[in-house]
Amino acid sequence: MTTSLRWVSDPDIDELRKRARAWAADDPDPTTRAELEALLEQGDAAELADRFDGTLEFGTAGLRGELGAGSNRMNRVVVSRAAAGLAAYLNEQDLGQRGAGRDAAVVIGYDARHNSDVFARDTAEVMTGAGVRALVLPRPLPTPVLAFAIRELGCAAGVMVTASHNPPRDNGYKVYLGDGSQIVPPVDTEIAAHIEAVGPLADVPRGDGWTVLGDSIVDSYLDTVAGLAGDGPRDLRLVYTPLHGVGGSSAVQVLETAGFDAPYVVPEQEQPDPDFPTVAFPNPEEPGAMDLAMALAAARNVDLVVANDPDADRCAAAVPEAHGWRMLRGDEVGVLLAHHLITGGHTGTYACSIVSSTLLGTMATAAGQPFVETLTGFKWISKVDGLVFGYEEALGYCVDPEHVKDKDGVSALLLLCELAAAEKAQGRTLVDVLDDLALAHGLHATDQLSVRVTDPAEIEAAMKRLRSVPPTSLGGLRVESIDDLSRGDGGLPPTEGLRYRLQSGARVIVRPSGTEPKLKCYLEVVVPVDAEAGVDAARISAAARLDALRSDVRSAAGLAG
C-alpha cells in the first residue's frame, strides 16, 4: 500500500522529499523532471524511497538500471555525473586535456534503446566541457564496434550506452580504457570517487565541439571481422535474428563479404526497436526468444540458426535434430569455436570464466596450449595475457582479441558459420563435432538453475543457508571440496559465490547475478563415452545426473520448487 507524504512527518520522508525537489531543480530533462514533480504531488513515499534511497552504483560493469527520475535510476543527471567523473579521472591520469596527442580522445557508442542517443550526446558534451576530445560513433551500432574503435583510433577510453539484453525499461553505461577492455578494480572505485565528488549539475561545464565519426570506422571493423574467415566452403543456408537490436546490418554484411549467401532474417525482429515487442526478454537464452527464428528455419529448411543479442556482443545458435530445432548451450558454442581455432593453428592462451565448462581447459591442455580460468565477467577474460580465445557460458565469445578485446557476437557468428560450412562439405554437422569432442574428452554436460526473485533478501538468505549448512552430496555425488569465492578461494580475486567440486569431475557454482535480481546456479557433469553405446547413451545419463543436481541444489539453498 502506498503511503502519502502529506500525512507522514518522519524525518527520513522529509529528507527524501528534500532530495527529490533538489533533483528536480537540477534535472535538465523535462520528461523526468515532470515525472518527479508528479510523484511529489501524489505523495508516493514508497516510490520516492525506491528512487532516492541510494544511488545507482558505478562498478566494473559501469552503470545499469531502470530508466526514470532519481539517483537510483538511469537518467540524464546520473549519466552526466558519470561522464564528469570519468573525465576528471582521465584528466587526473594525464589522459584527458593534459594528455598530448591522439590518446586524449574518448570514443562514445550507443545502441537503439530508449534514451541511448541522448545519454551519448550528454557524455560528449560533458567530455568536451572538461577539455577531453569526444568522438561519437555515427549511429546506433554493436558494442564490439565501440571496443574496436578504442584501439583502432588510439583513444584513452570508450563509453558504450547499452543495457545489452536487459528488459526494455533499462539502460546502461559501460566504460572501457585505452586497451579496449572494460574497467576492473581499482579503476572502478577511482572513477566512482570522482563521480561522487561532482557538484551540482549546473556547475558541470559542457561543450559543443565534439565530433561525429564517419562510416569509415564502421567499415574498418566490418572488413576486419570478415577477414577472419579463411578460404573454404561457403555453402550454408542460414536464418538470422538480431532480436530487435543493432546487429542486423553488421552481421549480414560481414557474412556476405566473407562469401556466404545472405541469411533469411526474421522479419518481425529485423529492425531495431527499443520496446522489443516480440519477446518477453530480449535475450536469446530466455524461453521463447528464439521461437520466431526457429519457425522460419523450419519453413526454409536451413542448416543453422544464428542470433545476436540487442547490442550484438553475444552470439547464439540452434541446430536441427530429428524432432526439431535445438538451441546450443553457450558452452557448446564456446568449445566449437575453440575447436575451430585450435585445429586452425591458433596458438596462445585459451580462457573462460569459472562458471563455464571445464572442457575448454581439457581441450587446451590436450593441444599443448595455456589455459586460464577467470572470474565471471568478460572484463576479466579480456585481461588475460596472451589471449587467443576467451568465452563465457552466457553466449560471450572473443575470437579476435588483437582487434576487439571484448566479447563480439558478430565475429563469433562468422567463425561458427565457417565451421558449419566446412563440416557440411564433409556431410557432417556441428553436432558431429560435439560428439567427436565427447568421445575424445568425455561428455561435459552443463545446465543452469536460475531463480528470479522480487526481494534481494531472498538471494542473501539462500547464500547464508548454503554457508551455514554446507551440503555433503549433491545429485548423489559426493562433495569433495568447497571454495568460498568471497574469501578468494581457488586463487581468484574475491567475489560472492560458492563452488562445489564433486566426484567424477562434476561441479556446481552458486552466485548472485551481477546485473539482474537472480540467483544463478551453474551445473556440470562429466560422463565417459562408451565407444559401443555411443554419445546418445552418455547424454541420457548426463541428463539424469543434471536433473538430480538441480533438485538437490534448489533444496540445499532453500529455494521454492
Side-chain angles (χ1 to χ4, degrees):
M1 184 172 65
T2 300
T3 304
S4 172
L5 285 175
R6 298 184 183 90
W7 305 107
V8 176
S9 59
D10 188 305
D12 291 340
I13 299 300
D14 291 340
E15 177 61 27
L16 283 173
R17 184 164 45 187
K18 180 180 177 182
R19 275 192 243 166
R21 286 175 173 158
W23 182 278
D26 207 29
D27 192 346
D29 189 333
T31 301
T32 47
R33 191 167 60 244
E35 176 186 316
L36 192 54
E37 288 169 349
L39 287 173
L40 282 166
E41 176 63 25
Q42 294 163 9
D44 193 335
E47 183 66 17
L48 283 174
D50 187 45
R51 290 168 181 257
F52 286 97
D53 190 12
T55 301
L56 202 62
E57 184 177 348
F58 184 91
T60 53
L63 297 166
R64 191 174 293 187
E66 186 176 347
L67 291 162
S71 58
N72 201 27
R73 294 286 191 273
M74 281 293 295
N75 49 63
R76 293 184 63 193
V77 176
V78 165
V79 166
S80 296
R81 291 176 62 85
L86 175 59
Y89 169 83
L90 294 174
N91 283 329
E92 180 186 70
Q93 299 295 316
D94 288 328
L95 296 173
Q97 61 182 347
R98 294 194 297 274
R102 297 198 310 146
D103 66 348
V106 171
V107 61
I108 303 159
Y110 58 100
D111 66 9
R113 283 178 175 268
H114 292 296
N115 276 6
S116 286
D117 57 339
V118 175
F119 295 160
R121 184 176 66 245
D122 280 331
T123 300
E125 291 177 353
V126 170
M127 289 292 168
T128 305
V132 180
R133 193 159 61 97
L135 311 173
V136 182
L137 293 181
R139 58 183 179 278
L141 286 163
T143 293
V145 177
L146 182 278
F148 172 85
I150 295 168
R151 303 181 82 185
E152 181 75 2
L153 301 175
C155 293
V159 170
M160 183 68 194
V161 182
T162 179
S164 190
H165 55 274
N166 272 39
R169 64 180 180 273
D170 290 358
N171 213 326
Y173 196 84
K174 295 172 69 171
V175 176
Y176 299 72
L177 289 186
D179 66 350
S181 64
Q182 297 176 52
I183 57 172
V184 296
V187 172
D188 58 336
T189 55
E190 293 169 2
I191 295 174
H194 283 288
I195 295 172
E196 182 66 25
V198 174
L201 202 57
D203 296 340
V204 173
R206 290 178 178 250
D208 58 6
W210 41 280
T211 300
V212 176
L213 296 168
D215 278 340
S216 61
I217 187 63
V218 184
D219 293 338
S220 181
Y221 165 79
L222 296 174
D223 289 343
T224 298
V225 173
L228 295 175
D231 295 332
R234 292 292 187 267
D235 177 20
L236 194 70
R237 291 169 56 84
L238 294 167
V239 159
Y240 168 72
T241 176
L243 281 184
H244 300 294
V246 294
S249 61
S250 297
V252 171
Q253 183 172 332
V254 161
L255 285 167
E256 291 183 328
T257 302
F260 290 92
D261 289 340
Y264 297 104
V265 181
V266 176
E268 300 93 335
Q269 300 173 337
E270 184 173 8
Q271 297 303 317
D273 188 331
D275 293 319
F276 307 107
T278 68
V279 294
F281 289 92
N283 179 352
E285 293 180 295
E286 292 285 345
M290 295 289 289
D291 285 357
L292 288 174
M294 289 190 278
L296 181 59
R300 294 293 187 176
N301 191 31
V302 300
D303 303 306
L304 184 66
V305 172
V306 285
N308 290 129
D309 69 336
D311 70 327
D313 66 347
R314 300 172 194 241
C315 169
V319 294
E321 291 190 323
H323 302 291
W325 285 82
R326 175 175 76 86
M327 287 294 296
L328 293 177
R329 301 195 66 82
D331 285 312
E332 292 177 312
V333 174
V335 298
L336 285 169
L337 290 169
H339 165 80
H340 189 40
L341 293 169
I342 288 171
T343 56
H346 293 263
T347 59
T349 302
Y350 287 74
C352 65
S353 63
I354 58 171
V355 298
S356 303
S357 174
T358 58
L359 177 55
L360 180 63
T362 301
M363 291 169 60
T365 299
Q369 300 302 310
F371 169 73
V372 171
E373 188 178 58
T374 75
L375 289 180
T376 304
F378 228 90
K379 56 188 173 287
W380 300 108
I381 294 172
S382 63
K383 297 292 185 183
V384 170
D385 290 337
L387 182 70
V388 67
F389 171 72
Y391 94 92
E392 59 182 4
E393 55 74 41
L395 309 181
Y397 313 98
C398 176
V399 300
D400 183 26
E402 180 182 351
H403 296 104
V404 177
K405 213 172 183 183
D406 196 15
K407 54 184 179 288
D408 182 348
V410 180
S411 57
L413 182 152
L414 174 65
L415 292 195
L416 189 66
C417 290
E418 183 183 38
L419 174 60
E423 294 299 323
K424 181 182 177 182
Q426 300 177 51
R428 287 163 45 89
T429 69
L430 294 179
V431 175
D432 292 319
V433 180
L434 292 171
D435 287 353
D436 290 346
L437 293 172
L439 283 165
H441 306 294
L443 177 67
H444 289 61
T446 60
D447 201 356
Q448 187 179 135
L449 169 64
S450 185
V451 181
R452 187 180 293 271
V453 301
T454 55
D455 183 358
E458 295 179 58
I459 295 176
E460 184 179 345
M463 296 301 295
K464 183 177 180 180
R465 177 184 174 91
L466 287 169
R467 286 190 170 97
S468 61
V469 188
T472 57
S473 69
L474 291 168
L477 299 172
R478 184 178 64 256
V479 175
E480 296 185 337
S481 66
I482 302 175
D483 292 332
D484 189 336
L485 301 176
S486 68
R487 300 192 306 236
D489 291 357
L492 296 167
T495 186
E496 175 61 350
L498 294 163
R499 174 167 56 182
Y500 303 89
R501 299 182 192 272
L502 314 178
Q503 69 184 97
S504 303
R507 182 218 61 195
V508 172
I509 295 176
V510 183
R511 59 177 284 270
S513 169
T515 58
E516 300 175 88
K518 288 182 176 179
L519 185 69
K520 305 183 86 169
C521 309
Y522 303 85
L523 320 174
E524 181 174 31
V525 297
V526 182
V527 180
V529 178
D530 181 85
E532 292 187 8
V535 179
D536 285 343
R539 285 200 178 96
I540 293 171
S541 175
R545 293 188 189 184
L546 287 171
D547 283 344
L549 270 183
R550 191 182 300 106
S551 176
D552 280 6
V553 169
R554 186 182 285 275
S555 176
L559 300 170

